[in-house]
Amino acid sequence: MTTPVLFHEARTFTSVAAAARTVDATKIYGIGETEVRALDGVTVAFARAQFTAIMGPSGSGKSTLMHCVAGLDSLTSGRAFIGEADLSALNDRELTILRRDQVGFIFQAYNLLPTMTAAENLTLPLRLAGRKPDREWLDTVVEVMGLRDRLHHRPSEMSGGQQQRVAVGRALATRPQIVFADEPTGNLDSKAGTEVLEFMRNAVDHMGQTIVMVTHDPMSAAYADSIIFLADGRIVDEMAHPTAGRVLERMKQFGE
Amino acid sequence: MFFTTIKGLIAHKLRLFATALAVTLGVAFMAGTLVLTDTVGRTFDDLFGNVYKQTDVVVRSQAAFGAGAVVQRGRVSESLLTEVRAVPGVAQAQGGVFGYARLIGSNGDALGNPAAGAPTIGGDWTESARLNPYDLVTGSPPAADDEVVIDAASANIGKLAVGDTTTVLVQGPPQRVRISGIARFGTVDSPGGATVVLFRHTVAQKLIAEPGKFDTISVVAAPGVTQQQLAARVAKILPASAEAVTGAAMTKESQAAIRQAMGFFRTFMLVFAVVALLVGAFMIFNTFSITVAQRTRENGLLRALGASRRQILASVLLEALAVGVIASLLGIVGGLGVAIGLKELLGAVGIPVPAGSVVFKPATVVISMVVGVGVALLAALSPARKAAEVPPIAAMQRGLVGSTGYGSKRRVYIGSGLLLGGLATLLIGLFGAVSEGVILVGTGALLVFFGVSTLGRTMSLPLSKLIGAPLPRLRGVTGELARDNAMRNPKRTAASASALMIGVALVGFITIFVSSTKASVEQAVDQSFIGDIVVTSGGGMSGGVDPSLAKRLDLLPEVANATGLRQGFASVEGQVEFVTGVNTATAFDVLDIVPIKGRAVDLGRSGVAIRQDVATNKHLAIGDVVSIVFRDTGAQQLRVAMIYAHGQFVGLQEVHPSYLLGMPAYDANFATHFDMQINIKQAGDVSEAAALAAVERAAKPYAGVSVLNRAGFKKQQTAPLNQMLALVYALLGLAIFIALLGIANTLALSIFERTREIGLLRAVGMTRAQLRSSIRWESVIIAVQGTVLGLAIGLFFGWALVGALEDEGLTVFRVPYGSLSIIVALAAVAGMVAAIGPSRRAAKLNVLKAVTSD
């Protein structure tokens, strides 16, 4: 399954090193006694056409980091960028349009609107933008995701794995700068989970997509090019070319 | 269980308020109407009790014919007074007369509105202070023939004072009079808002009644003689045509008459109470259905923890009970306000309600509570059952919210049955020869509403699809979402729409009915009236303008023909009918009456003309004798001298006159001689403006008349309809407002249910504006759906009623497409307005919290 043309296309707009990054990102919940530092001065860059996993024990701030970089949440201090756009300088409307055009999302569950078919869900961000979908690109996505025969089904008529594949497809449909995935396989059995992870891996390898995934599953993290480990709101470690065994070892140090 | 219910109620104060509001308004209407009618009833009871307190026996003529509101009595001979005074046990006896008299105010305008509102009465000043119900406030009793006492209300409105000179319209030419005194009627300024002019005794007989006759003789008993004894003694000396009635019986009779008059008003107001309650029932049903669906897991958990079905059922009903009780209590308090408001409103339209404390009967409280709470409980019963059916396993399941689809076959059968039954009942009530027509019509209308709302779920899906069809093209994915969301729970959409449907159906019905009536009146004027100018007397059924005006107008060089019309009650072969008096010399040139058999000149003093279809029905031919009983002359034998077709007199009581009399016959049998309307054909060689000016000049001394051309006549005849329309719109507007609150409520609850979806949409790039727009259009679909269903029902009601009233002159069925389109457009706008709150709240949802919510 090689798509050299698209691969080439996706690479051409790579002029900046990082698809998204943060500088001294700090997020504090509550005040005074109840103050919780979810992020404590995180500076990180997510390289283009790379699959990065964020790991860490519960409460380490991995989801918060992702939400803040994705423009779903705001930082208390520090800055977050998608491409060259400084998220803290954008109002709600600008942020929404940025998410719509430049960011793809894959949540753990409930990724799809129940009233829409797979095809309609797939093109939702494009249609929200009032843009005509690029037929050729969509066909490719559908093909790669193996969704051809499910296009006119509603989510209630699809399996969990199929639903997540549609979600991955939707995230790719707009050719975003970056795709954020929050425990994308958390609700799936291992076969369906593996399938979804392989599709994500494919998207990075053959379409040049940048993907950032939050997970606590070493098997999933092993699909990434690199891993950053968070604990208590700080980056405590990084790992390139991970394997499940090495990730598991590293995680054990957190006492999980 | 009780504890969870109370906690739930407190947690959702706003929703509770919106739901309760509809019931509150319904109960307020009902309680207000009951309080007002009780209050008015009581004060009038007291009033009449006082009026006849000193009168022990009243002598009057036997009823010539008729019953209830149209009892027609003649007068008794003046000579009876001496005979009555001679009866042993009579301490005092006094004759009295009354008739039509209309007072002109200081600005030259006639007071009162005998054609459509407060009556104008003339009478004689009773010398005996004991028997006189009027008390002088200032001035003195009439001492000269041109002196009068007037009521305090008219003095106030007409800016007339003792010593002023003004004009009174009576039989014959207008009279100049001097006001010698101003009086009150018992505790009020005037009886029932009427304008009252009291003359000296002999003058009153001459001007407003008949010389040598009395309407009543009031008698006071000597000490020790009871009313019954005296009535029996007086009755013995009376001729067969007269009767003696005790004072107590007179009081009862007057009180009953007032009650009957109030009855219509009471029914009218209670209809709106029922409408508001019906809307309230739909809202409660909807709110409870949604909240029960949302609490499926919670109820499942309670069941898993050991709560029985009965306990779940009871907890939901308890919540409904609380809503019902709070709403009804507020409604009863509001009802007092409504009663006071209505009292002011009645006063403003010229029907002052006597001063007196508000009557607040325990029955009012009981009835209002029972109805309010009953409606709440009944509406919540089906959702409560649903809640009780939740299995314990639901605690562990997700996403079992609401129901979709078309509804069961059984539901379709029941709905169709209700609808067809309702339609049949309605049509039988309207067209069938049944005595309880009104009740059948009301029941039928209710059944139609229930039928349509039962079928609502089935009809909702295709309707939403149809109404929303243009949206995806117009609004893109936003419109698509709006349509999909309106379609995803047809049951909920249908219930929200049903609440709106009721109000809109009635608005549509009234609009169609009024527009058909207007069209019919206009058509009647165009077809039946071949003249150019109409002079209306403004005197209603009891009065009119002196016949001298018609004579004067006929002589004007600008006028070719002027012919007066009169109408009065008579009993034709045992049935109360209208008979119309026409001037045979001029009528046929100005009016659309086509003689078919016989000739108008043969009518004379003892002939009658009959409309063709009436004659056919009664098997009457030229030369046959008809027995007609008149109030003033008793039974008379009249010969059928003419049979005619057509004939339509706009502005008279009977629009299609069945019986015509020539003026000689009419005047011979009716004591009062007034023209109600004068129809005029202008001379061929003058302009309409010139003719109008000439007629206006001639009519100037006859205050209270209106001189109108065709267009003006049409306008005058349809004007009261506009007033009625405005009043009904205002009352129904309230029901529609509640229904819109219901839509807002439903939307808010649905959005709460869809929090996660909204979070997702926002995360993948839906802007706040797009989200708001999507919810707005969803609301528009619901609102337009309710409106379209309502208008369909309204259209049917209108068509049915217009058809049923064809004989009453409603010959045209006109659908005012313009107005109905405006209603639909307004509904769409109202839908948008209803969505403002919910859509704003949805747009403000924190994306992250929404997308990660449970």
Side-chain angles (χ1 to χ4, degrees):
Chain A
M1 217 187 299
T2 48
T3 49
V5 178
L6 290 166
F7 178 76
H8 176 72
E9 260 183 25
R11 280 289 183 186
T12 48
F13 64 78
T14 313
S15 56
V16 195
R21 61 197 166 95
T22 64
V23 179
D24 205 15
T26 303
K27 177 75 180 179
I28 301 172
Y29 293 110
I31 39 161
E33 295 279 301
T34 59
E35 184 182 293
V36 175
R37 278 181 179 261
L39 290 179
D40 194 3
V42 174
T43 300
V44 68
F46 299 106
R48 284 191 188 283
Q50 291 280 304
F51 189 168
T52 313
I54 306 177
M55 296 199 77
S58 294
S60 62
K62 56 184 189 298
S63 286
T64 306
L65 176 62
M66 192 198 88
H67 291 150
C68 289
V69 186
L72 286 174
D73 206 349
S74 59
L75 291 168
T76 310
S77 70
R79 293 161 88 186
F81 297 86
I82 299 233
E84 283 304 283
D86 181 350
L87 301 190
S88 64
L90 303 180
N91 64 23
D92 181 81
R93 191 184 144 73
E94 290 161 338
L95 210 52
T96 304
I97 290 169
L98 179 90
R99 281 200 305 266
R100 187 182 76 196
D101 297 342
Q102 312 221 20
V103 180
F105 284 101
I106 306 159
F107 298 105
Q108 183 174 359
Y110 303 109
N111 265 302
L112 308 180
L113 285 192
T115 53
M116 292 185 170
T117 62
E120 287 167 340
N121 266 294
L122 206 61
T123 54
L124 181 61
L126 286 168
R127 289 185 301 142
L128 281 170
R131 283 210 309 264
K132 271 228 173 315
D134 176 345
R135 278 284 143 218
E136 221 176 306
W137 176 251
L138 268 186
D139 274 352
T140 311
V141 170
V142 167
E143 208 55 58
V144 169
M145 296 297 134
L147 292 168
R148 181 72 61 203
D149 59 338
R150 282 283 173 270
L151 280 180
H152 300 293
H153 288 67
R154 286 179 201 279
S156 56
E157 301 157 335
M158 291 188 279
S159 71
Q162 286 167 340
Q163 290 186 33
Q164 280 308 72
R165 267 148 61 196
V166 175
V168 174
R170 182 192 60 210
L172 299 177
T174 52
R175 289 198 250 194
Q177 288 235 28
I178 187 163
V179 169
F180 292 100
D182 190 358
E183 305 270 14
T185 58
N187 268 20
L188 303 178
D189 59 47
S190 64
K191 183 175 172 284
T194 305
E195 242 176 45
V196 167
L197 286 163
E198 269 168 7
F199 286 130
M200 288 166 67
R201 185 67 246 172
N202 250 325
V204 175
D205 292 343
H206 303 293
M207 300 172 177
Q209 186 62 59
T210 311
I211 298 183
V212 174
M213 170 175 75
V214 168
T215 183
H216 63 258
D217 170 30
M219 293 289 289
S220 303
Y223 280 85
D225 294 314
S226 62
I227 302 179
I228 57 172
F229 292 93
L230 258 68
D232 299 325
R234 293 201 185 103
I235 294 179
V236 291
D237 201 356
E238 288 180 46
M239 184 186 290
H241 311 296
T243 63
R246 285 173 60 211
V247 177
L248 195 59
E249 280 306 311
R250 178 63 189 88
M251 290 298 283
K252 274 181 184 161
Q253 295 174 25
F254 293 120
E256 259 196 5
Chain B
M1 292 311 295
F2 182 73
F3 179 70
T4 51
T5 303
I6 297 299
K7 272 195 85 171
L9 281 175
I10 292 168
H12 304 289
K13 281 188 288 277
L14 199 74
R15 182 202 303 161
L16 181 73
F17 171 76
T19 310
L21 186 66
V23 177
T24 300
L25 274 169
V27 171
F29 259 119
M30 197 170 64
T33 307
L34 293 177
V35 168
L36 182 75
T37 45
D38 285 344
T39 304
V40 174
R42 169 79 61 87
T43 41
F44 272 108
D45 282 359
D46 293 349
L47 190 67
F48 286 112
N50 276 326
V51 168
Y52 292 108
K53 201 160 66 187
Q54 305 294 339
T55 308
D56 293 313
V57 168
V58 172
V59 174
R60 62 182 181 186
S61 164
Q62 297 268 13
F65 58 86
V70 282
V71 168
Q72 296 286 305
R73 281 177 209 285
R75 297 188 168 99
V76 296
S77 166
E78 201 177 53
S79 61
L80 260 186
L81 182 59
T82 348
E83 292 173 44
V84 168
R85 279 181 177 151
V87 172
V90 171
Q92 233 187 71
Q94 188 91 51
V97 295
F98 50 83
Y100 175 84
R102 198 169 180 198
L103 190 64
I104 306 295
S106 60
N107 62 354
D109 288 342
L111 296 176
N113 182 7
T120 60
I121 315 171
D124 60 337
W125 179 258
T126 309
E127 299 291 343
S128 159
R130 239 185 123 172
L131 291 169
N132 191 340
Y134 292 94
D135 302 312
L136 276 175
V137 185
T138 51
S140 53
D145 280 2
D146 65 346
E147 283 188 345
V148 293
V149 169
I150 63 169
D151 66 283
S154 301
N156 194 19
I157 297 166
K159 299 201 165 48
L160 295 166
V162 170
D164 286 357
T165 305
T166 187
T167 305
V168 181
L169 304 175
V170 287
Q171 289 188 65
Q175 297 288 315
R176 294 295 290 172
V177 293
R178 201 181 76 84
I179 292 160
S180 69
I182 291 165
R184 276 164 66 89
F185 184 75
T187 52
V188 288
D189 283 352
S190 105
T195 296
V196 182
V197 185
L198 301 168
F199 300 88
R200 285 184 73 186
H201 186 74
T202 46
V203 181
Q205 283 180 317
K206 196 180 90 193
L207 293 178
I208 60 169
E210 290 168 87
K213 294 210 169 167
F214 288 131
D215 282 280
T216 56
I217 297 170
S218 303
V219 186
V220 180
V225 183
T226 66
Q227 291 192 347
Q228 279 76 9
Q229 288 169 338
L230 188 65
R233 286 187 206 171
V234 171
K236 269 188 214 140
I237 62 117
L238 295 179
S241 62
E243 62 182 9
V245 185
T246 62
M250 282 300 288
T251 306
K252 281 224 179 71
E253 204 181 290
S254 311
Q255 289 168 348
I258 285 287
R259 286 237 172 73
Q260 203 180 6
M262 296 284 304
F264 170 74
F265 174 75
R266 198 175 175 126
T267 311
F268 182 78
M269 291 306 299
L270 287 179
V271 164
F272 289 102
V274 168
V275 170
L277 285 169
L278 210 57
V279 173
F282 274 106
M283 274 188 69
I284 289 183
F285 169 78
N286 216 16
T287 309
F288 275 76
S289 293
I290 298 171
T291 52
V292 159
Q294 282 174 353
R295 271 183 282 169
T296 300
R297 280 222 281 172
E298 192 184 317
N299 284 330
L301 184 65
L302 285 169
R303 293 274 285 125
L305 293 178
S308 70
R309 291 194 168 202
R310 286 179 63 101
Q311 279 175 314
I312 303 277
L313 186 87
S315 81
V316 178
L317 287 183
L318 200 63
E319 194 176 331
L321 183 75
V323 171
V325 169
I326 293 168
S328 305
L329 284 176
L330 289 175
I332 291 167
V333 174
L336 282 175
V338 169
I340 291 162
L342 285 175
K343 200 171 154 181
E344 294 297 314
L345 189 74
L346 283 178
V349 297
I351 312 168
V353 176
S357 55
V358 170
V359 179
F360 198 66
K361 286 189 187 166
T364 302
V365 180
V366 173
I367 293 171
S368 304
M369 282 307 279
V370 167
V371 171
V373 173
V375 164
L377 285 178
L378 272 179
L381 195 59
S382 147
R385 281 225 183 101
K386 279 263 157 60
E389 279 164 17
V390 169
I393 189 71
M396 271 62 85
Q397 292 169 332
R398 269 179 166 275
L400 278 174
V401 168
S403 62
T404 51
Y406 288 93
S408 65
K409 256 197 187 134
R410 204 173 121 241
R411 172 173 276 272
V412 174
Y413 290 142
I414 292 176
S416 312
L418 283 172
L419 180 62
L420 292 177
L423 294 180
T425 314
L426 188 83
L427 291 176
I428 292 170
L430 282 175
F431 295 96
V434 285
S435 51
E436 298 301 325
V438 180
I439 293 172
L440 283 181
V441 169
T443 314
L446 271 182
L447 287 179
V448 168
F449 283 137
F450 283 131
V452 172
S453 55
T454 309
L455 290 173
R457 194 187 304 187
T458 312
M459 294 188 293
S460 173
L461 225 81
L463 264 176
S464 299
K465 197 168 194 165
L466 189 74
I467 296 165
L471 283 181
R473 210 162 316 137
L474 285 174
R475 286 268 164 268
V477 68
T478 318
E480 203 175 305
L481 272 172
R483 192 184 59 170
D484 289 350
N485 283 330
M487 285 169 65
R488 74 198 286 183
N489 194 335
K491 181 181 167 191
R492 188 180 298 173
T493 300
S496 301
S498 291
L500 184 62
M501 168 188 86
I502 298 167
V504 172
L506 296 175
V507 162
F509 156 67
I510 287 290
T511 308
I512 289 163
F513 178 68
V514 165
S515 113
S516 297
T517 310
K518 277 186 185 171
S520 302
V521 167
E522 281 163 12
Q523 192 198 46
V525 171
D526 286 337
Q527 287 181 354
S528 68
F529 177 58
I530 40 185
D532 307 293
I533 298 168
V534 179
V535 178
T536 57
S537 75
M541 257 317 271
S542 54
V545 60
D546 188 68
S548 62
L549 178 59
K551 278 193 199 105
R552 278 196 206 180
L553 293 175
D554 199 35
L555 294 176
L556 288 177
E558 292 88 349
V559 167
N561 273 306
T563 191
L565 283 173
R566 304 169 194 187
Q567 213 164 55
F569 288 112
S571 173
V572 183
E573 302 191 321
Q575 272 209 302
V576 181
E577 302 273 9
F578 285 104
V579 294
T580 308
V582 294
N583 182 343
T584 49
T586 49
F588 300 96
D589 295 321
V590 190
L591 301 164
D592 177 35
I593 303 170
V594 183
I596 290 176
K597 287 181 196 149
R599 292 182 310 163
V601 288
D602 295 337
L603 279 168
R605 246 192 92 107
S606 58
V608 59
I610 301 182
R611 202 176 68 219
Q612 193 180 21
D613 54 313
V614 178
T616 314
N617 271 343
K618 295 194 183 258
H619 308 290
L620 288 170
I622 300 285
D624 288 354
V625 171
V626 189
S627 173
I628 301 182
V629 181
F630 295 98
R631 184 189 75 182
D632 301 316
T633 56
Q636 301 288 326
Q637 306 297 312
L638 292 152
R639 203 174 19 77
V640 178
M642 186 178 104
I643 289 171
Y644 61 92
H646 290 296
Q648 205 174 16
F649 300 158
V650 179
L652 296 193
Q653 290 287 317
E654 191 189 34
V655 179
H656 292 286
S658 307
Y659 303 94
L660 295 183
L661 296 181
M663 282 306 175
Y666 194 93
D667 286 352
N669 290 300
F670 285 90
T672 45
H673 303 157
F674 287 120
D675 281 334
M676 292 180 178
Q677 201 184 79
I678 302 167
N679 289 314
I680 297 164
K681 199 170 186 178
Q682 68 197 42
D685 50 355
V686 294
S687 69
E688 188 188 89
L692 263 179
V695 171
E696 268 165 10
R697 251 193 324 277
K700 184 106 192 155
Y702 301 82
V705 302
S706 324
V707 177
L708 305 159
N709 61 7
R710 278 165 167 273
F713 185 44
K714 283 181 190 170
K715 213 179 252 171
Q716 191 206 41
Q717 291 300 314
T718 52
L721 290 171
N722 293 335
Q723 271 176 22
M724 185 187 83
L725 204 59
L727 178 68
V728 174
Y729 275 179
L731 290 169
L732 288 176
L734 223 52
I736 290 175
F737 173 72
I738 304 170
L740 288 172
L741 276 183
I743 291 182
N745 208 16
T746 308
L747 280 176
L749 290 166
S750 302
I751 285 162
F752 177 71
E753 237 170 60
R754 284 188 231 140
T755 301
R756 207 182 163 111
E757 235 173 273
I758 289 167
L760 176 70
L761 279 166
R762 293 275 289 124
V764 301
M766 181 176 240
T767 62
R768 284 191 169 137
Q770 283 177 316
L771 177 62
R772 281 197 299 263
S773 157
S774 152
I775 292 167
R776 268 202 308 272
W777 286 105
E778 180 182 351
S779 178
V780 167
I781 293 176
I782 301 176
V784 169
Q785 190 166 129
T787 306
V788 166
L789 283 177
L791 286 183
I793 295 177
L795 199 67
F796 171 76
F797 285 0
W799 170 80
L801 186 66
V802 169
L805 293 180
E806 199 183 338
D807 287 346
E808 312 286 323
L810 272 182
T811 47
V812 186
F813 173 63
R814 183 193 280 173
V815 180
Y817 291 105
S819 307
L820 298 191
S821 314
I822 290 173
I823 292 175
V824 176
L826 280 179
V829 173
M832 292 210 169
V833 173
I836 287 177
S839 65
R840 278 200 172 174
R841 235 168 300 144
K844 274 193 198 141
L845 279 176
N846 181 300
V847 180
L848 186 61
K849 276 189 189 146
V851 82
T852 53
S853 75
D854 238 337

